[in-house]
Amino acid sequence: MNRAAGPAIGVFGGTFDPVHFGHLRPALEAGEALALHQVRMLPSAQPPHRGRPSADAVHRLAMLERAVAGQSLLCADDCELRREGPSYMVDTLHHFRASHPESPLILIVGQDAANGLDTWHRWADLFDLAHLVVMGRPGPDADYGDALGRMIARRAARSAEELHHQPAGLTFSLPVSQLDISATSIRNQVRAGRSIAYLTPPAVADYIADHGLYADRPCA
Ligand code: ATP
């Protein structure tokens, strides 16, 4: 069976404000289920579709690094933080494509993010650069605009294995553990003075406490 040259790499972007188990467990499951070499988790500098993150990029990256320490499949990647301007995924994928010309690149998004994909900068170009894998998330069902829905349906892979046969261009829906956790709820818990234990790794909870993050900012 044909295989694209090079290891398959997952690209999982987000605000990670802060990272939590709802990011980490699905990312790990995606990495294992899709036989990825690595899932690179990229905090965005300036997310184009939302207000300024509550925590500075340096803190969001530091929390992510602590969260994935010792887990070889997941890795914190600061490439969007090193770029000026809005963090457009299409630019990020061009960056990965330049360093991995033949490898399958797998853009991993939760269902809520996938539903809004057609508002992303040059969204149709994403399919020339990577495969799209959508992970279920408690709450939103699949709800695509017409053009995006057609694009996703037309490119649907029959199996995860198929993603290894070409570098980009397919879509796949991946069931993952459904963890009803959001960064918004964590920020709100901190602000209310409640515990965030069991929502995010202890190293992240300790970092938030040590740096006084989220304590006195109004939350979105
Ligand atoms: P916020 O509450 O601040 O909006 P969030 O918890 O949704 O944040 P993001 O950093 O915005 O986290 O999400 C990054 C990516 O992770 C998105 O693709 C999103 O769909 C996905 N994601 C976030 N939480 C979950 C979850 N509980 N299960 C599956 N995917 C998730």
Side-chain angles (χ1 to χ4, degrees), residues 12-24 26-27 44 50 108-114 120 135-138 140 176-187 220:
F12 184 31
T15 315
F16 303 123
D17 190 20
V19 65
H20 52 70
F21 285 132
H23 300 123
L24 295 162
S44 52
R50 48 192 292 163
I108 301 170
V109 296
Q111 188 65 62
D112 57 316
W120 292 18
M135 306 185 297
R137 178 176 183 175
V176 292
S177 292
Q178 296 294 285
L179 301 173
D180 193 2
I181 303 172
S182 70
T184 302
S185 68
I186 291 181
R187 296 194 299 273

Side-chain angles (χ1 to χ4, degrees), residues 25-114:
R25 179 69 207 171
L28 181 64
E29 290 179 4
E32 290 184 335
L34 305 174
L36 303 182
H37 173 65
Q38 228 175 20
V39 178
R40 305 195 72 90
M41 299 179 68
L42 300 93
S44 52
Q46 292 177 40
H49 293 106
R50 48 192 292 163
R52 232 178 104 240
S54 295
D56 288 347
V58 63
H59 290 311
R60 291 182 289 117
L61 177 65
M63 290 187 280
L64 187 52
E65 286 171 342
R66 283 159 176 72
V68 300
Q71 173 48 253
S72 58
L73 196 49
L74 306 182
C75 130
D77 187 317
D78 66 353
C79 84
E80 292 195 343
L81 302 180
R82 285 185 273 110
R83 245 181 14 233
E84 297 288 318
S87 302
Y88 293 127
M89 182 51 75
V90 69
D91 296 335
T92 302
L93 293 179
H94 272 296
H95 159 86
F96 278 108
R97 185 48 76 206
S99 48
H100 302 276
E102 309 282 340
S103 293
L105 293 180
I106 319 274
L107 173 60
I108 301 170
V109 296
Q111 188 65 62
D112 57 316

Side-chain angles (χ1 to χ4, degrees), residues 111-177:
Q111 188 65 62
D112 57 316
N115 288 346
L117 200 82
D118 52 0
T119 64
W120 292 18
H121 184 58
R122 293 173 48 205
W123 68 269
D125 292 354
L126 299 172
F127 296 87
D128 297 330
L129 294 161
H131 300 305
L132 175 72
V133 166
V134 180
M135 306 185 297
R137 178 176 183 175
D141 292 325
D143 182 16
Y144 303 121
D146 288 347
L148 176 59
R150 277 196 302 276
M151 182 79 100
I152 288 177
R154 196 171 66 235
R155 293 168 176 270
R158 282 180 299 273
S159 68
E161 165 69 16
E162 232 186 296
L163 305 179
H164 291 264
H165 299 172
Q166 61 189 68
L170 299 175
T171 61
F172 191 69
S173 178
L174 184 71
V176 292
S177 292

